Amino acid sequence: MNQTLNKEYWKKRYQENEIGWDAGSVTTPIKEFIDQLNDTNVKILIPGAGNAYEAEYLWKCGFKNIFVIDIVEEPLQNLKSRIPDFPDEQLILGDFFELKDSYDLILEQTFFCALNPNLREAYVKQMFSLLKPNGKLAGVLFDFPLTKQEPPFGGDYQMYLSLFNPIFAIKKFEACYNSIKPRAGKEFFILLEKL
Ligand SMILES: C[S@@+](CC[C@H](N)C(=O)[O-])C[C@H]1O[C@@H](n2cnc3c(N)ncnc32)[C@H](O)[C@@H]1O
């Protein structure tokens, strides 16, 4: 890989509006997952949240115990300007790998694929340590080969399973039936429970 995927890299992507991943609103797989949650008190983290439309949707659905973290300030400010009441302490400017707290639920969307693949084991370990006992990691992972030298980095079922299976119970790991159009046929929906 030629690029270092550090804060400067992501900051530049936002400054230059090179944000092809940005769906502009909550995506259907995450929306439909949120729609079947009953308890609005659950403590939720969205890592590498970007413009965080999922956090905005959760907020509007009555979930208030939501935390978002991103390494770049601009998208966090965008969320704040869309939801001025969103508490500052729940908008975390920082590195996911340095975060210390615990959550009931963590939502994944285009964060795993944005990281250098050599961080995958560290991602799984950090997810494990950020979840409360029986906490869940839910969301989408791309289903295309890991061939590119830049994000989004792909993966396949076996590769993902070998990473998560040892420390998570696989509640759901299936072809995503309700992806947004550009991602149709290219995503898994996952629901993993901390063992
Ligand atoms: C591909 S974007 C996805 C944004 C968002 N999840 C979405 O679906 O629109 C990846 C995001 O992860 C952030 N990011 C990259 N490395 C990070 C890290 N170590 N800690 C926190 N955020 C990070 C980037 O700034 C960027 O906003």
Side-chain angles (χ1 to χ4, degrees), residues 24-65:
S25 60
V26 62
T27 62
T28 29
I30 306 284
K31 177 187 178 298
E32 291 181 16
F33 176 75
I34 292 170
D35 288 345
Q36 51 81 55
L37 296 175
N38 299 316
D39 181 4
T40 54
N41 294 314
V42 284
K43 187 171 174 187
I44 303 176
L45 174 70
I46 306 182
N51 279 315
Y53 307 106
E54 287 67 35
E56 181 176 3
Y57 183 70
L58 281 162
W59 187 264
K60 288 180 177 161
C61 290
F63 294 83
K64 300 293 181 243
N65 205 3

Side-chain angles (χ1 to χ4, degrees), residues 5-7 9-11 13-14 19-25 27 30 46-54 69-73 75 92-98 107-116 119 140 142 151-152 183:
L5 302 175
N6 55 13
K7 184 183 171 109
Y9 170 87
W10 292 105
K11 201 170 165 183
R13 297 282 305 244
Y14 283 99
I19 54 168
W21 62 79
D22 190 291
S25 60
T27 62
I30 306 284
I46 306 182
N51 279 315
Y53 307 106
E54 287 67 35
I69 180 167
D70 204 285
I71 207 162
V72 180
E73 193 167 11
I92 307 166
L93 175 62
D95 187 341
F96 163 77
F97 292 98
E98 286 167 18
L107 293 176
E108 162 60 49
Q109 176 173 263
T110 64
F111 176 52
F112 180 91
C113 70
L115 298 169
N116 188 318
L119 290 172
V140 277
F142 278 129
R183 297 178 193 163

